[in-house]
Amino acid sequence: MISRPIVALSGVAKSYSSFIALDTTDLSLGEGEFVTLLGPSGCGKTTTLRLIGGFELADRGRIEIAGEDVTAKPPYRRPVNTVFQEYALFPHMTVAENIGYGLSVKANNVPAAERRRRVTEALAMVGLEEMGMRRTAELSGGQRQRVAMARAIVRRPRVLLLDEPLSALDVKLREGMQMELKRLHRELGITFLMVTHDQQEALALSDRIVVMNRGRIVQIGSPAELYDAPTTPYVADFIGTSNLVPVRSVGSDGQFDHLLMADGTRLRRRRRPGDRVFPNGQSVLAGIRPERLLTSDGGEVNRLAGRIVEALFQGDRVRIEIALAGGYERRSIFANVTRTASTASGAIEPGTEISLQVDPFDIMLFAAEDGQ
Amino acid sequence: MSVQRRQRFGAFAALFSVPFLWALVFMIVPYLVMISVSFWTRQFPLFVPDFQFGNFVQIFSDPQYTTVILRTLKIAALVTLGALALGYPLAYFLVFTVRSEGLRNLLYMSVIVPLWVSYLLRAYTWKIILGTDGAVNSLLRMVGLIDEPLTVFLYNQTSMVITLVYIFVPFMVMPLFAVLSNIPKALIEASEDLGVGPFMTFWKVVFPLSLGGVVAGATMTFCLSFGDFVAPVLVGGPDGTMVANLLQSQFGAALNWPLGSALATLVLVLVLAVLQVSSRMDRAGRVGLG
């Protein structure tokens, strides 16, 4: 847990008429963290961000920012700033006027000289030194993005909120901006809270990821934690992808869970501390990531037999769709195997039989009723 | 000229000859007639072709005419201000305060719907409301503020301004509604996010971005009320004559077409000047939203 959170949501909920946008939720953000709210559209991530920004007011619960209760406060009384999805730059102002806007209004009381210095500083931070006098309409998408960033950081917020900041950019630009975001976060040292539906972006940027679905937080953890130890099949399939194979638990010893597949194959799964113990005979879901299925010959343990349905050439790797043997016909699994290994193991053609191996460390286990 | 180009020209001519002829016969030629007649001379009982500036000199030297022109400018300006003062808050309320889209459209339609009713009828209604037995007097008598009906409400410039504001306010609301609806809500959120309260957000963001609508609405309201001649007749008093009434009488009772044409030419020039200024302002203030 975070000792002194900069943002704390406790029991916060929000609904629109009958639609529950955010179910009762607790969330804490630490000082200087880069946290991502990740989930499909309608999962409550944007609502959470807008509640913190003050653009929506919570039905229930309490929101604290920097130790102050801001639950009922309007956006202009909160020490946060936002980078909006479509940037929301003021079209009737120049780049410099946009950035200086939040400092220029009397109530904010920043003297003109100081204001100019800070605008120049913010422009330099986002690499737009020469662009101050431009109209926003003359800028490219990437430049607008930078102006939006500069405008949001110039007031030195305690928390920077980013609402799908990179979604309007093309792929090339997006990768460059990811680096920029990471650099800005390091240089500013303030808390970043970003909303995204792009799991790659979340994995690449975040200290912690909050996975959301249907108005609830499903799991919170570091990118590695979520990838290696998802607590639900939903997270396993949303962070990276996972094959979910229905199996039967046939007991555990101290080190391994023993699983029985429909075709009689036995799998061994290496247990981790704190893992749940499933009773003998219970149906469970085994999660195996496509990239952890190996064609190499490593003995007879943990081998899955099946027939190749389709093979897609992807350069360094081959993506194979496999129909597992024994009653799994309707649910094929996928494997990403490296080219060298696949060449070594012979031809990969649709219709041929294949045997894949998985390391006991690389099997995840979920209760079947957790479903999707 | 190639066959293809000739064909294209034929199609072009067929398509545009009708509207062009229409404009020529019913707009350009009448304007030319009007302008040339303004240089003619009156010779009792009729008038003869001529080329002299006497009519224009008369308009600018005779206080009877200058007074009416200035008064018309003043009333049109007051109507424009009144329509803006009523129309802007209304359009703002419709766009930003009313949350339900159904209710917003209903209210907007109720602003526009009076345009379906005859203009004369709507002007006449104010005669009834403001008259000696009208709604205002009845109300005041009912609450006991007055014993005798007051006549101050009707037949003066105030009643004209009230009537014209009522009649032309939809022309102010329509462009304002359109322009305010086009302002992305995210801009208002961005302003508040940057620590700026609602009042300054309005002055720094919403109002500058709505100037195009203000200019469009003001231009329409000004030009329409500048040329109005019904309100002066129905609710205007002896000091309510406007340029259009003067025009009417020159072409009618006074039977002085040359002077009437000179007045009409002046009105045309004034309105063109207003349009010119407003399109300049519009261009200068235009910004790409989005």
Side-chain angles (χ1 to χ4, degrees):
Chain A
M1 254 359 261
I2 301 144
S3 52
R4 263 189 59 233
I6 184 81
V7 175
L9 274 64
S10 37
V12 172
K14 175 74 184 174
S15 35
Y16 302 101
S17 57
S18 65
F19 174 68
I20 298 171
L22 187 67
D23 213 338
T24 314
T25 293
D26 299 307
L27 178 67
S28 296
L29 308 181
E31 193 94 53
E33 260 193 314
F34 196 133
V35 179
T36 300
L37 300 172
L38 177 66
S41 59
C43 71
K45 57 188 194 299
T46 302
T47 303
T48 308
L49 192 87
R50 292 177 61 81
L51 284 166
I52 296 171
F55 309 117
E56 311 282 348
L57 292 181
D59 300 337
R60 283 199 309 277
R62 181 182 159 89
I63 302 173
E64 275 179 42
I65 300 174
E68 193 189 354
D69 184 352
V70 298
T71 315
K73 286 198 172 167
Y76 48 93
R77 300 246 164 76
R78 298 187 183 206
V80 302
N81 283 121
T82 307
V83 177
F84 290 85
Q85 188 169 8
E86 305 288 344
Y87 317 139
L89 301 181
F90 303 120
H92 57 303
M93 298 181 195
T94 63
V95 167
E97 284 166 349
N98 259 283
I99 298 172
Y101 178 79
L103 308 172
S104 68
V105 170
K106 238 192 193 134
N108 297 337
N109 234 351
V110 180
E114 160 86 353
R115 199 159 71 215
R116 267 195 299 280
R117 197 181 56 71
R118 276 165 69 171
V119 168
T120 314
E121 195 180 278
L123 275 169
M125 271 206 108
V126 296
L128 292 177
E129 289 91 341
E130 307 300 318
M131 298 287 192
M133 298 321 289
R134 295 277 187 97
R135 292 232 148 221
T136 56
E138 300 166 25
L139 302 181
S140 70
Q143 289 169 334
R144 283 160 179 247
Q145 166 68 56
R146 287 158 190 269
V147 176
M149 294 285 310
R151 187 177 69 174
I153 61 177
V154 78
R155 297 186 68 230
R156 297 170 186 160
R158 303 295 300 270
V159 181
L160 186 69
L161 307 175
L162 302 110
D163 185 5
E164 306 237 8
L166 308 181
S167 64
L169 302 176
D170 61 55
V171 180
K172 268 254 161 63
L173 218 46
R174 204 179 303 164
E175 282 172 1
M177 282 308 293
Q178 287 185 2
M179 301 279 181
E180 289 280 293
L181 273 180
K182 200 86 176 162
R183 180 183 60 83
L184 270 176
H185 177 245
R186 200 176 48 243
E187 286 178 11
L188 292 168
I190 60 173
T191 306
F192 277 33
L193 179 64
M194 180 175 80
V195 158
T196 185
H197 61 265
D198 181 341
Q199 49 118 344
Q200 290 298 350
E201 201 168 288
L203 290 172
L205 296 175
S206 319
D207 296 323
R208 282 196 304 156
I209 299 175
V210 179
V211 184
M212 300 188 70
N213 191 29
R214 294 181 189 168
R216 290 168 184 275
I217 293 175
V218 184
Q219 190 175 355
I220 305 178
S222 71
E225 275 165 17
L226 291 181
Y227 189 83
D228 294 335
T231 53
T232 67
Y234 175 82
V235 177
D237 203 30
F238 199 81
I239 306 283
T241 53
S242 289
N243 296 301
L244 295 169
V245 183
V247 295
R248 192 171 296 279
S249 165
V250 287
S252 305
D253 53 49
Q255 276 193 310
F256 294 99
D257 291 315
H258 298 278
L259 309 166
L260 186 66
M261 292 182 65
D263 67 344
T265 311
R266 291 180 80 94
L267 295 179
R268 284 198 313 162
R269 172 184 180 272
R270 180 77 185 204
R271 287 185 60 79
R272 285 168 216 256
D275 272 1
R276 188 169 157 187
V277 178
F278 292 100
N280 224 331
Q282 186 174 339
S283 291
V284 290
L285 285 173
I288 306 166
R289 297 199 179 272
E291 60 274 23
R292 300 285 167 84
L293 282 165
L294 310 169
T295 48
S296 57
D297 191 6
E300 286 311 303
V301 247
N302 279 5
R303 295 201 79 94
L304 287 73
R307 189 174 37 77
I308 297 176
V309 177
E310 201 61 81
L312 301 177
F313 177 67
Q314 290 180 332
D316 55 335
R317 288 168 308 165
V318 182
R319 182 169 172 82
I320 322 172
E321 183 181 355
I322 301 142
L324 286 176
Y328 290 116
E329 285 81 6
R330 294 183 52 210
R331 190 198 276 257
S332 39
I333 66 167
F334 292 88
N336 295 343
V337 295
T338 56
R339 273 293 289 308
T340 45
S342 59
T343 340
S345 70
I348 293 180
E349 296 287 339
T352 50
E353 300 293 322
I354 191 170
S355 161
L356 295 164
Q357 190 175 36
V358 58
D359 189 285
F361 280 98
D362 288 337
I363 300 178
M364 304 172 278
L365 204 56
F366 310 106
E369 69 268 20
D370 281 351
Q372 296 296 305
Chain B
M1 196 185 264
S2 73
V3 176
Q4 205 185 1
R5 281 193 63 183
R6 212 172 303 154
Q7 274 178 345
R8 223 183 264 169
F9 179 77
F12 183 83
L15 187 61
F16 289 105
S17 58
V18 174
F20 179 73
L21 275 176
W22 176 276
L24 190 71
V25 173
F26 293 104
M27 294 177 70
I28 296 169
V29 169
Y31 278 137
L32 292 176
V33 170
M34 176 185 88
I35 292 166
S36 39
V37 171
S38 69
F39 297 107
W40 289 12
T41 306
R42 188 182 190 204
Q43 220 166 55
F44 195 78
L46 282 172
F47 22 85
V48 292
D50 197 353
F51 187 77
Q52 47 86 25
F53 292 87
N55 299 314
F56 290 99
V57 172
Q58 192 182 350
I59 290 171
F60 287 112
S61 55
D62 188 337
Q64 185 195 339
Y65 299 117
T66 45
T67 309
V68 172
I69 291 167
L70 289 177
R71 177 192 301 150
T72 311
L73 284 170
K74 181 184 84 179
I75 287 184
L78 286 174
V79 170
T80 306
L81 283 179
L84 186 64
L86 286 177
Y88 201 105
L90 179 61
Y92 186 92
F93 170 81
L94 288 179
V95 172
F96 293 109
T97 311
V98 179
R99 288 243 165 163
S100 127
E101 192 158 343
L103 181 63
R104 180 186 312 135
N105 289 335
L106 184 77
L107 289 171
Y108 180 61
M109 282 317 289
S110 65
V111 175
I112 304 304
V113 137
L115 291 179
W116 267 258
V117 178
S118 158
Y119 164 86
L120 271 177
L121 203 61
R122 283 185 293 144
Y124 195 78
T125 312
W126 278 97
K127 194 182 171 90
I128 297 172
I129 295 172
L130 300 171
T132 39
D133 293 324
V136 176
N137 269 315
S138 308
L139 184 74
L140 289 179
R141 271 205 286 186
M142 212 167 67
V143 298
L145 276 176
I146 53 172
D147 299 323
E148 292 293 305
L150 295 177
T151 54
V152 295
F153 301 121
L154 198 54
Y155 304 125
N156 53 37
Q157 295 184 8
T158 313
S159 60
M160 274 168 57
V161 171
I162 290 173
T163 305
L164 288 175
V165 164
Y166 166 73
I167 287 171
F168 293 133
V169 88
F171 293 99
M172 184 63 89
V173 174
M174 280 190 283
L176 285 174
F177 182 84
V179 89
L180 289 174
S181 305
N182 275 335
I183 296 177
K185 304 282 177 289
L187 292 185
I188 294 161
E189 288 183 352
S191 173
E192 299 205 343
D193 182 69
L194 293 165
V196 179
F199 183 73
M200 285 312 281
T201 293
F202 174 78
W203 280 114
K204 296 262 183 173
V205 176
V206 179
F207 188 69
L209 290 175
S210 69
L211 274 179
V214 173
V215 169
T219 306
M220 270 198 274
T221 315
F222 185 86
C223 290
L224 286 170
S225 38
F226 189 81
D228 189 79
F229 71 101
V230 170
V233 172
L234 284 179
V235 298
D239 67 340
T241 311
M242 304 223 307
V243 163
N245 307 101
L246 215 53
L247 267 171
Q248 200 191 10
S249 68
Q250 293 307 320
F251 282 94
L255 203 68
N256 190 348
W257 287 24
L259 187 64
S261 293
L263 266 172
T265 306
L266 181 66
V267 170
L268 182 70
V269 168
L270 281 172
V271 168
L272 284 178
V274 169
L275 289 175
Q276 187 65 28
V277 169
S278 85
S279 84
R280 283 247 174 111
M281 281 169 68
D282 196 31
R283 237 173 296 148
R286 183 167 300 164
V287 283
L289 285 177

